[in-house]
Amino acid sequence: MMTHNLKIYNTLSRKKEDFEPINPPFVGMYVCGPTVYGDAHLGHARPAITFDTVNRYLTHLGYRVRYVRNITDVGHLQGDADEGEDKIAKKAKLEQLEPMEVAQQYTDTYHRDMEALNTWKPSIEPRATGHIPEQIALVEDILKEGLAYEVNGSVYFDVLKYNETYEYGKLSGRVLEELISGSRDLDGQGEKRNAVDFALWKNASPEHLMKWESPWGTGFPGWHLECTAMSSKYLGKQFDIHGGGMDLMFPHHECEIAQGNACNHQDPAKYWMHNNMITINGQKMGKSLGNFITLQELFTGDHKLLEQAYSPMTIRYFILTAHYRSTLDFSNDALKAAQKGYKKIINGLRITKKLEFAADEKVSLDAEQIKQVQSSINNAYRAMEDDFNTAQAIGHIFNLLKKINSIYTGQLNVNVFGKDVFDQMIQTYVVFVEKILGLKEEVANNQQGLLDVLLKLYSESKTARNYDKVDEIRNGLKDLGIVVKDMKDKIDWAYEE
């Protein structure tokens, strides 16, 4: 592998920066996880796959990553605001369940879908409700610093007071004066000193379902506070990477920065990474907009916008074919193209694992072929080093696949590469596909055994010139998306692309 020179686009500085961990070889990464009041959709899949790939690549480089991704199971109110009903409590009332039943149900389905997408489990997955004492302690610290105030059992962060020392809006580029001006006419300021202030702790009404005792009375934590409490508990006052969707940049991540500075007098994270949105016809996909497609609907094809079902690995590949900072627009055509690309990659993986180097002294090395392979390998790594550009990396992996396919079909003699370059090509392809991009074959072992039996029967029927049986097996497999490959010296199969 080429020398490590990883650059990450830091939202905070709005430029690519050399990645220099605070305490190498350890890397701390916190990613905002789901609010568990409904099934995961395509919009949830993007940050999960984005930061899974970051985790995978950093691990591949030799870093020891502590990846913390939270579960929000309280405090996230309707409209991402400080007023209104808790999203989980609202769902609980509708379904006549305990809020924790709702949270558990959708945490379980989220885990099921993340496993299907082949994402690694986070090192730690804390829940907001499991960290109420830490959140209360943070509120007390911010009050002591004089950057919060208590009103009627609620505690609010004083943004104007904070802005005298720090800069509120530096992550999102929002200008405080404009935020204040834009909020003057809005209703709901209520007990806040200023509409831009945000809740650290909210007083709970008697009918509120999720509440805890605190020094200010019975209440519940503010949404932004939860992430500050959990990230600092498990990663320290400052850690390397904070990730999440671009929609969380303001106000959620902006408020996390304010809370971190208020408590610890430093930004919580060194690098801020944000994945862009998935859109449908140019509009953001999300529960609040009602235009989302759940992952289970994608896997089964059971949605009015879907022309067919798309497998979990097709979805993963689809997300990886765009750079994480670019928008990714949903369409059936795009998903069908992803399905085809994924099958090509996996057909290549099957072939790659079968190829062996066979020394033949009669064939001399081909400098041009060697140069092309080494260039593709270096460029694949350069793409990942350039802010995790999976889209470009996949292009270079396809260039390697062309060579691999040519060797497999006999168009290229393996010996033109020499053993070292051949081994490097094979290893790079397998490592990128399985370890870095996280793609895997979706045929189960028992299906693989059945395929082997059918191909044996196919071969015997061909030898016996029983062509009706040959056609029957070939057509039956084709209906299942499997193509029989008749080659000079063997019979093989591939996924139909």
Side-chain angles (χ1 to χ4, degrees), residues 229-439:
M230 291 183 282
S231 63
S232 58
K233 179 177 176 70
Y234 297 109
L235 297 173
K237 293 178 179 179
Q238 189 177 53
F239 49 92
D240 297 295
I241 298 171
H242 194 312
M246 198 171 280
D247 56 332
L248 296 177
M249 193 190 306
F250 186 88
H252 188 52
H253 291 164
E254 197 74 71
C255 294
E256 279 189 66
I257 287 177
Q259 290 164 167
N261 277 302
C263 293
N264 305 317
H265 309 291
Q266 59 185 326
D267 285 349
K270 188 174 178 182
Y271 304 92
W272 287 82
M273 294 179 67
H274 292 93
N275 65 274
N276 214 318
M277 299 296 98
I278 289 182
T279 56
I280 296 183
N281 301 321
Q283 187 181 36
K284 178 197 158 189
M285 178 185 289
K287 281 197 183 82
S288 56
L289 296 169
N291 66 347
F292 63 94
I293 303 174
T294 71
L295 290 171
Q296 283 300 308
E297 287 169 339
L298 281 157
F299 300 160
T300 62
D302 185 20
H303 191 282
K304 62 184 179 183
L305 291 175
L306 297 173
E307 294 175 9
Q308 63 173 73
Y310 300 98
S311 75
M313 287 299 97
T314 296
I315 301 303
R316 185 177 181 104
Y317 180 84
F318 170 63
I319 288 169
L320 292 171
T321 53
H323 187 259
Y324 76 89
R325 284 192 291 113
S326 64
T327 54
L328 179 57
D329 198 51
F330 163 86
S331 72
N332 279 282
D333 286 346
L335 283 171
K336 285 174 188 172
Q339 180 177 269
K340 192 170 183 178
Y342 160 71
K343 286 181 177 178
K344 276 187 171 158
I345 286 268
I346 293 301
N347 282 333
L349 185 66
R350 292 186 60 253
I351 289 168
T352 301
K353 290 182 173 181
K354 289 180 182 180
L355 289 182
E356 294 178 1
F357 187 79
D360 184 346
E361 294 176 11
K362 297 172 189 172
V363 179
S364 58
L365 296 176
D366 186 323
E368 184 56 34
Q369 293 290 348
I370 290 170
K371 182 181 173 186
Q372 288 172 9
V373 166
Q374 289 176 330
S375 174
S376 294
I377 291 170
N378 289 338
N379 287 336
Y381 276 107
R382 280 196 190 97
M384 292 303 295
E385 302 277 303
D386 184 15
D387 193 32
F388 308 98
N389 196 328
T390 54
Q392 285 187 8
I394 286 169
H396 298 304
I397 291 304
F398 268 115
N399 287 336
L400 284 184
L401 180 54
K402 286 176 190 171
K403 302 295 182 191
I404 289 164
N405 280 333
S406 294
I407 294 169
Y408 184 65
T409 57
Q411 292 171 283
L412 260 180
N413 190 310
V414 67
N415 296 284
V416 302
F417 298 104
K419 187 168 188 337
D420 287 349
V421 175
F422 171 81
D423 287 346
Q424 197 181 5
M425 174 169 61
I426 298 300
Q427 182 188 18
T428 302
Y429 190 87
V430 173
V431 163
F432 259 85
V433 173
E434 292 187 330
K435 303 294 185 189
I436 297 173
L437 299 174
L439 298 169

Side-chain angles (χ1 to χ4, degrees), residues 66-80:
R66 177 178 286 176
Y67 175 21
V68 181
R69 185 185 66 208
N70 73 297
I71 295 289
T72 297
D73 56 0
V74 68
H76 195 171
L77 306 186
Q78 295 290 330
D80 300 346

Side-chain angles (χ1 to χ4, degrees), residues 186-254:
L186 296 177
D187 293 330
Q189 181 172 324
E191 58 198 16
K192 296 181 189 180
R193 290 178 185 170
N194 198 294
V196 294
D197 294 349
F198 58 90
L200 298 173
W201 186 265
K202 283 288 288 180
N203 180 49
S205 60
E207 67 273 12
H208 199 90
L209 293 176
M210 305 172 80
K211 51 197 174 190
W212 292 262
E213 291 303 315
S214 81
W216 316 284
T218 304
F220 57 92
W223 174 38
H224 314 307
L225 186 73
E226 299 169 2
C227 285
T228 298
M230 291 183 282
S231 63
S232 58
K233 179 177 176 70
Y234 297 109
L235 297 173
K237 293 178 179 179
Q238 189 177 53
F239 49 92
D240 297 295
I241 298 171
H242 194 312
M246 198 171 280
D247 56 332
L248 296 177
M249 193 190 306
F250 186 88
H252 188 52
H253 291 164
E254 197 74 71

